[in-house]
Structures are given as C-alpha cells and as structure tokens.
Amino acid sequence: MEETDIVLTAAQKYNMGIKIHSDQLETSGGSYLAARFNAISAEHLIMADDMSIQTIKKQGVIAVLLPNASFYLGMPYARARYMVECGIPIAIATDYNPGSSPTLNMQFIMKLAYIIYRLNPEEILNAVTINAACALNRGKEIGTIEIGKKADIVVWNSKSLHFLLYTLDNNLCNMVFKSGELVYSKSEV
C-alpha cells in the first residue's frame, strides 16, 4: 500500500487520471485508495466488501466490472446488482488479456452481465456505453448518440435488447461504425 500511495501521489501531482485495479483476489484496500485519490474508476472489485463499496460510492468512483476474468478463472463474481442498487455507476469491459480473460467478444461479456450479474438490458447498455466512456474520462465525446459526439456505433441484428442478451451462441453484430465510418459489415464478410 505504501508504494501505491507514493505512485498515486505523484500521479495526482501531475494531474494524471487515476484508475485502480482493486480487490480482485482479496479485499486489498484499493477501493479506499480509489476514493482517497478521486480515481476515475476502480476495476474488478470482485472481493470488495460493503465498506469498500460504500466508500467508492461516496466519492463517485465508477466501478468497472470484468465478468470474464471471474468466468475464465472460476472465481466469484463482483456484486454488480448490489452496486447498482447502492447507486454506483458501473461499467462493464472485457479485461482482454491472455492470462485471465482471453476474449474481445463484448456480446459475450454483456451476456455474462445479464446471466451472472442479473442486470437488466438497460443497465447493461448504460454500462457498456456512457458509463464505460465516463470510466475512460471520455463521456463528453463518446458513449451516447448525440450531436457533437463521435459516431462510434454497433448495430445489432436483434429485435430487442432482451433477445441480444438471451441468445448464447450467435454473433449478432451486424455493422460497426467508428467515427461515423463503416468499418465492419456482416454482409461484406
């Protein structure tokens, strides 16, 4: 903790945005550091206890939950439903890495949030769009479809959000736009 405190103090001195990898394997105190240093977000939070969750809520820290790390490693899952009920903004991400989360499939991550976290489709949509953008300190430029924001859009071949999250075996991504430009179309594959 002492070394982390030194690093975060230096980061704060130079106005660097602080994000903290916290409480993945044990309740480590990282949530308290996230709150103390006004971190933009705290990632994982699998083992965050009630006091840790209340601390990040009080400081407005975004909880970035990474369900595939738990799935792949056979670990417990973060208490997403409890965090949402406490009023904590949550984001959901892949945590893509070869050691504990080898997937870039965001549709699969969203399905884990639906099945394991018991989040409703609207909560999941917020978690992977505007809340995720805010966790990157980019909520003013991406994360919603608004005039003046970059048009980073995924078009799903689905009749509803419920169906998108219900099906387990298909990739329903139909088109992807990056900064308003079509970069993927299923019909062109």
Side-chain angles (χ1 to χ4, degrees):
M1 279 286 244
E2 190 176 313
E3 289 176 357
T4 305
D5 195 272
I6 292 167
V7 170
L8 295 177
T9 299
Q12 200 171 47
K13 177 181 175 183
Y14 292 102
N15 296 317
M16 299 174 78
I18 296 173
K19 300 172 74 56
I20 295 181
H21 182 281
S22 177
D23 303 324
Q24 181 181 8
L25 305 175
E26 63 185 351
T27 305
S28 64
S31 299
Y32 301 106
L33 287 174
R36 190 169 123 224
F37 285 93
N38 295 315
I40 296 166
S41 65
E43 282 70 29
H44 283 289
L45 302 171
I46 293 167
M47 305 305 286
D49 59 17
D50 290 354
M51 180 108 38
S52 300
I53 290 169
Q54 291 304 319
T55 300
I56 64 170
K57 176 191 176 193
K58 195 178 295 183
Q59 288 303 116
V61 177
I62 298 169
V64 179
L65 307 181
L66 309 160
N68 195 56
S70 294
F71 177 79
Y72 191 76
L73 297 173
M75 294 178 60
Y77 290 86
R79 295 184 299 152
R81 178 85 262 139
Y82 177 71
M83 291 180 204
V84 167
E85 289 169 2
C86 285
I88 296 173
I90 64 165
I92 299 169
T94 64
D95 191 29
Y96 178 70
N97 71 76
S100 63
S101 188
T103 186
L104 292 170
N105 186 335
M106 200 59 197
Q107 186 180 344
F108 176 69
I109 301 305
M110 292 165 65
K111 289 170 195 249
L112 284 177
Y114 187 65
I115 295 166
I116 304 296
Y117 289 161
R118 297 290 186 217
L119 298 178
N120 68 46
E122 293 78 13
E123 291 166 338
I124 294 167
L125 184 61
N126 282 333
V128 300
T129 56
I130 188 60
N131 291 358
C134 289
L136 296 170
N137 205 24
R138 297 187 64 202
K140 292 182 179 175
E141 61 189 84
I142 61 174
T144 56
I145 301 172
E146 295 180 63
I147 294 172
K149 286 191 172 184
K150 291 184 179 178
D152 294 344
I153 301 168
V154 176
V155 179
W156 303 98
N157 184 17
S158 178
K159 296 175 185 174
S160 70
L161 278 173
H162 284 281
F163 183 75
L164 173 67
L165 300 170
Y166 172 74
T167 62
L168 288 175
D169 60 345
N170 4 8
N171 178 357
L172 298 176
C173 181
N174 196 35
M175 290 184 281
V176 176
F177 294 86
K178 182 72 179 153
S179 297
E181 299 292 323
L182 181 67
V183 295
Y184 170 82
S185 175
K186 197 171 198 170
S187 64
E188 294 177 8
V189 176

